[in-house]
Each structure stands twice: as C-alpha cells, then as structure tokens.
Amino acid sequence: MTITRFGIDIGGSSIKGSRVNLETGELVGEWSAIETPNPATPDTVASAVAELVQQQKWDGPVGITLPMVIRNKVARSAANVDPTWIGTNVSELFQRHLGEREISVLNDADAAGLAETTFGDSAATKGPVIFLTFGTGIGSAFLIDGHLFPNTELGHVRVGEKKAEHQAASSVKDREELSFPDWAKRVSNVLSEYDDLFSPSLFIVGGGISADHEQWIPLLTIDTPVIPAKLRNHAGIVGAAMAVSTHLTP
Ligand code: BGC
C-alpha cells in the first residue's frame, strides 16, 4: 500500500503544502500555496498552515519545515523571520492549530537534504556530504552516509567580514544585480571556507537557483565536487512528509 503523508514548507514569501507519495517522492494531486502572513508571527503562520491543510481536506499526519533552528521542539533562531519565534515550542503551537494528529517540525534545509538522500542523487548517501540551499538565506544540512546531523546553520558562518548568507545567498545576487561569474566568486569563497572547516567529500547545492546550475557550478574554483540537487522547489515539502513518517523532530 502506498504511504502518503502531508508536507508543508514555510518560507518568507509563501507557505506550500501537498500530499507526498513516500515511495516515489512525488507530490500527489494539486499542491497549494498561500502567502506568508505579514507579520509572520507564530500564531498567524500556524493559522495559515491550518487553513492550507483544511483546504486540502487532509486529516492525517503533517510534517512542517521552518527556516530556523529547532532544538527539543523549540525554535532557537529567527534570522529572516519574525523574532517572536525564538523560544516558541513549535510542536505545541502547530498541535494547537492542527488538533489531534501526528506532527513533526524541522529546519527547512534539513528537510530538503533529507529528501535528497532518498529521492535525489545516490551520492547524497555516501560519506560526509554538505547539502546547501541558496535562497533568501543559505541553509545547510550535514549528511553522513545519508543520516542527518540537524541545525548546522552554515549560512551564519562568517567568511571574511560578513556572514556567508549576507554575501552569497541568491537573494544577494538579485539585490546587488550580480552576474553569475561575480556571484560564483562569492560562492567559491564560501564553499572554500566550509571545505577548510569540514572537508566534506561532496557539496550538493539546492534552492531555486540550482535550476540554473549550468551557469555557475562550472565557474566554482574549489577542488571538492559540487553537484546540483535533483529535487528542486518541492524538496522541503517532501522532506517534511518524510520527517513525520519517521517521527523526526529535532
Ligand atoms: C536560517 C536557516 C535556514 C536558511 C534557509 C537561514 O537564514 O538561519 O535556519 O535553513 O536561512 O532558509
């Protein structure tokens, strides 16, 4: 029998959700997206999530991703989101809004990395791999033989004068209207710092800009191999659905 779970990916501009077939990693039926409320406080976001789940007429387990550190079910950071998230017990929050059902909550990049280990390139499950998402910020997932070490937050590592995500997120490329070659230089700097610190055997790069990987991955100047993620926009949704099926909440 096909196992289906519901995954929700909460981002700065939209909240996306869908049923996911956990044997194939494919979305089942129509996926939904709603605008992230403004201000995006815990309660406004959790009500929007409940609305999305109701729209989809889903009453089973729900996995949720958030762009923040989640430790012992409590949000510990809020880099690109409303600061009132810090200290919120996110399990209790979503349980309150979604009622009696199984819920899991984890970091967005961790979810996307997890999805890649099962439905992406098989290289994601071999040895120490650093998975990164380039978007509003830089998200990271540390994978060791396909197992996740959560909440690594590499976007906040200082490289030179600034945090990595403040110089090389894809939002910075857009904001500063950088060409791919100029942006690739910044990404090379950041990856080279990660390389020195962690010596992974492979980097996998995801996020929307990985769709254009041919324009920038060949320009990177580090020796460690870099490959694009196979799962694109829906990686977070798939990883969230996987997390609730394995009862994973860091
Ligand atoms: C946050 C991470 C998140 C990443 C991508 C960073 O600013 O600190 O938790 O994974 O953005 O959304």
Side-chain angles (χ1 to χ4, degrees):
M1 208 182 70
T2 310
I3 302 172
T4 305
R5 292 286 182 269
F6 203 89
I8 296 202
D9 193 11
I10 300 176
S13 55
S14 69
I15 299 175
K16 297 180 285 188
S18 174
R19 292 171 166 79
V20 179
N21 175 331
L22 289 181
E23 264 138 59
T24 62
E26 283 162 357
L27 305 193
V28 181
E30 288 285 298
W31 59 284
S32 305
I34 49 182
E35 224 174 274
T36 306
N38 187 4
T41 60
D43 273 307
T44 59
V45 168
S47 318
V49 164
E51 190 187 315
L52 191 151
V53 171
Q54 207 178 14
Q55 267 175 20
Q56 287 267 347
K57 302 189 175 24
W58 175 260
D59 56 11
V62 177
I64 299 164
T65 75
L66 285 165
M68 56 189 75
V69 171
I70 313 286
R71 196 177 66 193
N72 293 332
K73 307 186 175 178
V74 174
R76 302 270 168 191
S77 71
N80 295 308
V81 294
D82 197 273
T84 52
W85 281 90
I86 296 177
T88 300
N89 182 318
V90 289
S91 262
E92 268 173 33
L93 169 78
F94 289 108
Q95 206 79 60
R96 200 163 66 239
H97 285 265
L98 291 169
E100 263 315 298
R101 66 171 91 211
E102 193 173 346
I103 282 171
S104 75
V105 189
L106 84 163
N107 173 267
D108 55 355
D110 283 341
L114 205 57
E116 198 68 21
T117 61
T118 307
F119 303 111
D121 198 302
S122 63
T125 59
K126 296 188 182 99
V129 171
I130 296 186
F131 172 87
L132 298 167
T133 58
F134 289 85
T136 309
I138 296 178
S140 58
F142 269 30
L143 305 169
I144 300 160
D145 291 333
H147 297 285
L148 175 70
F149 183 112
N151 290 317
T152 46
E153 294 289 316
L154 290 199
H156 296 270
V157 169
R158 201 166 280 277
V159 179
E161 301 207 326
K162 287 186 191 169
K163 282 184 173 192
E165 70 177 20
H166 292 160
Q167 48 187 308
S170 70
S171 60
V172 177
K173 176 180 183 302
D174 295 344
R175 201 170 49 243
E176 297 184 19
E177 299 179 2
L178 298 175
S179 63
F180 274 110
D182 286 343
W183 182 66
K185 276 186 208 143
R186 295 188 182 194
V187 176
S188 288
N189 262 346
V190 163
L191 295 191
S192 141
E193 180 77 15
Y194 297 165
D195 222 13
D196 288 349
L197 290 172
F198 306 110
S199 303
S201 47
L202 174 71
F203 287 102
I204 304 180
V205 291
I209 200 154
S210 65
D212 298 322
H213 62 90
E214 282 160 359
Q215 297 193 61
W216 59 278
I217 291 186
L219 307 179
L220 298 175
T221 52
I222 58 161
D223 293 333
T224 305
V226 182
I227 60 170
K230 278 221 168 127
L231 277 80
R232 295 276 153 73
N233 284 339
H234 301 310
I237 295 179
V238 175
M242 287 170 65
V244 72
S245 100
T246 56
H247 318 287
L248 173 72
T249 291

